[in-house]
């Protein structure tokens, strides 16, 4: 589980998150830490991080105004008090472009319910499974195109081969893009 | 001016890779592998290691899956391009076909770059 924040990926100072929401499983009285990566796709810039909601005093950002050239890692410490609610919710706000762009993602800390564990497992698999299924689909497409090309258009197979090679390059770029 | 050169070079590069891979496929079908099989395996192994390093993530399965897919694709492209160059030299296509496919592939390359790599 790692949150990666992309700055300027779509356009100047745009903010995107790899995880649309975060859940940190913690028992009462426990403490944990993790890292958030800020990836800057544009020119170097200051990024401001802030926390709102119930988690304000329970999640500590060890750096809240980093200057990001390419990539910066932000250590985050999370504490769940011994006495209190089993779960706390809040949001981490990210702003850049001197405050012109602001975006946030919800974060929840607390004990794991059986139901949510199942949900997280289902959520976790598609990343590589999607990739594998897309690759297998493209592989099938390539073989199908080549089969059709060399069976029915064997006198001039160039355009069929071109379509297949586009699919291969698409597969590689798709992989790099993810 | 500078800002046009980079995407233009990238899309032209992708277009040439696509075209030579297509020629390579024709070479593979007509003449078989252009490279010695152990060399292809070695290229595959090198790309697999490089892929695993580039796409390193917390999940081992994901790292290996990405490395494997990258390795298969990149090895095929390298092998095909080698054959494609031979095919291009021995059986050059007509200028009309070459320029048309270059234009089409440049457009497709730019679309892929902007959609997949968010150029």
């Amino acid at each position: 589980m790692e949150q990666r924040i992309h700055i300027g990926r779509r356009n100047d100072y745009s903010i995107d998150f790899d995880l649309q929401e975060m859940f940190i499983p913690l028992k009462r009285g426990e403490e944990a830490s993790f890292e958030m990566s800020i990836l800057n796709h544009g020119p170097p810039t200051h990024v401001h991080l802030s926390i709102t909601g119930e988690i304000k005093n329970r999640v500590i950002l060890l750096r809240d105004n980093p200057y990001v050239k390419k990539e910066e890692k932000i250590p985050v410490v999370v504490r769940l008090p011994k006495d209190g609610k089993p779960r706390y919710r809040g949001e981490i706000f990210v702003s850049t472009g001197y405050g012109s762009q602001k975006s946030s993602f919800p974060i929840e800390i607390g004990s794991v319910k059986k139901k949510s564990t199942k949900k997280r497992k289902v959520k976790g698999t598609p990343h590589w499974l999607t990739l594998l299924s897309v690759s297998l689909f493209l592989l099938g497409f390539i073989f199908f195109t080549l089969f059709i090309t060399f069976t029915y258009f064997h006198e001039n197979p160039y355009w069929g081969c071109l379509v297949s090679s586009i699919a291969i390059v698409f597969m590689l770029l798709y992989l790099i893009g993810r | 001016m500078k800002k046009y050169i980079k995407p233009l070079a990238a899309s032209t590069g992708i277009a040439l890779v696509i075209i030579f891979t297509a020629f390579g496929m024709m070479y593979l079908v007509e003449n078989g592998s252009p490279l010695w099989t152990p060399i292809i395996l070695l290229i595959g192994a090198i790309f697999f290691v490089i892929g695993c390093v580039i796409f390193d993530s917390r999940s081992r399965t994901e790292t290996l899956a990405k490395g494997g897919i990258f390795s298969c694709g990149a090895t095929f492209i390298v092998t095909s391009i080698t054959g494609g160059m031979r095919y291009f030299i021995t059986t050059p296509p007509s200028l009309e076909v070459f320029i048309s496919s270059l234009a089409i592939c440049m457009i497709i390359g730019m679309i892929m770059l902007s959609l997949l790599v968010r150029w």
Side-chain angles (χ1 to χ4, degrees), chain A residues 127 131 135 158 165 168 177, chain B residues 18 58 62 66 69 76 101 116:
Chain A
H127 204 62
L131 197 76
S135 308
Y158 177 68
S165 56
I168 295 171
Chain B
I18 291 170
R58 289 198 175 186
E62 195 183 319
K66 283 183 172 180
I69 295 165
F76 185 78
S101 46
L116 302 172

Side-chain angles (χ1 to χ4, degrees), chain A residues 41-111:
Chain A
H41 300 266
T45 184
H46 273 288
V47 175
H48 184 71
L49 301 161
S50 59
I51 300 166
T52 59
E54 296 170 329
I55 57 160
K56 200 168 181 178
N57 299 319
R58 288 155 190 103
V59 176
I60 301 153
L61 298 163
L62 297 187
R63 287 169 69 200
D64 63 0
N65 192 21
Y67 182 67
V68 188
K69 282 184 179 171
K70 286 272 177 198
E71 185 179 4
E72 285 295 323
K73 300 248 184 212
I74 309 296
V76 184
V77 179
V78 189
R79 283 193 199 115
L80 197 66
K82 268 186 182 175
D83 43 352
K85 284 163 56 174
R87 282 193 173 212
Y88 291 91
R89 279 188 69 84
E91 275 187 283
I92 292 184
F93 276 87
V94 180
S95 67
T96 184
Y98 305 98
S100 64
Q101 294 286 326
K102 198 171 186 180
S103 193
S104 69
F105 63 91
I107 179 166
E108 191 170 359
I109 56 169
S111 53

Side-chain angles (χ1 to χ4, degrees), chain A residues 15-31:
Chain A
I15 302 165
D16 296 296
F17 305 108
D18 269 9
L19 302 172
Q20 293 311 307
E21 56 181 311
M22 273 187 94
F23 174 70
I24 292 133
L26 268 186
K27 286 177 186 168
R28 281 177 177 154
E30 270 187 357
E31 189 178 299

Side-chain angles (χ1 to χ4, degrees), chain B residues 57-91:
Chain B
S57 65
R58 289 198 175 186
S59 159
R60 282 182 196 170
T61 324
E62 195 183 319
T63 307
L64 294 175
K66 283 183 172 180
I69 295 165
F70 176 77
S71 155
C72 290
T75 309
F76 185 78
I77 284 178
V78 169
T79 313
S80 292
I81 286 174
T82 315
M85 282 176 173
R86 284 189 193 178
Y87 193 91
F88 190 80
I89 294 163
T90 52
T91 329

Side-chain angles (χ1 to χ4, degrees), chain A residues 1 9 127-128 131-132 135 146 150 157-158 161-162 164-166 168-170 172-175 177-178, chain B residues 14 18-19 21-23 25-26 29 55 58 61-62 66 69-70 76-77 97 101 108 112 116-118:
Chain A
M1 176 197 61
R9 189 164 67 173
H127 204 62
W128 64 271
L131 197 76
L132 212 64
S135 308
L146 286 177
F150 287 102
Y158 177 68
C161 291
L162 200 72
S164 300
S165 56
I166 287 168
I168 295 171
V169 173
F170 178 89
L172 279 186
L173 288 178
Y174 177 75
L175 190 71
R178 282 177 76 92
Chain B
I14 286 175
I18 291 170
I19 290 167
T21 308
F23 282 126
M25 282 179 188
M26 295 202 290
V29 172
F55 305 112
R58 289 198 175 186
T61 324
E62 195 183 319
K66 283 183 172 180
I69 295 165
F70 176 77
F76 185 78
I77 284 178
V97 168
S101 46
I108 292 170
M112 285 198 288
L116 302 172
V117 193
R118 293 186 179 88

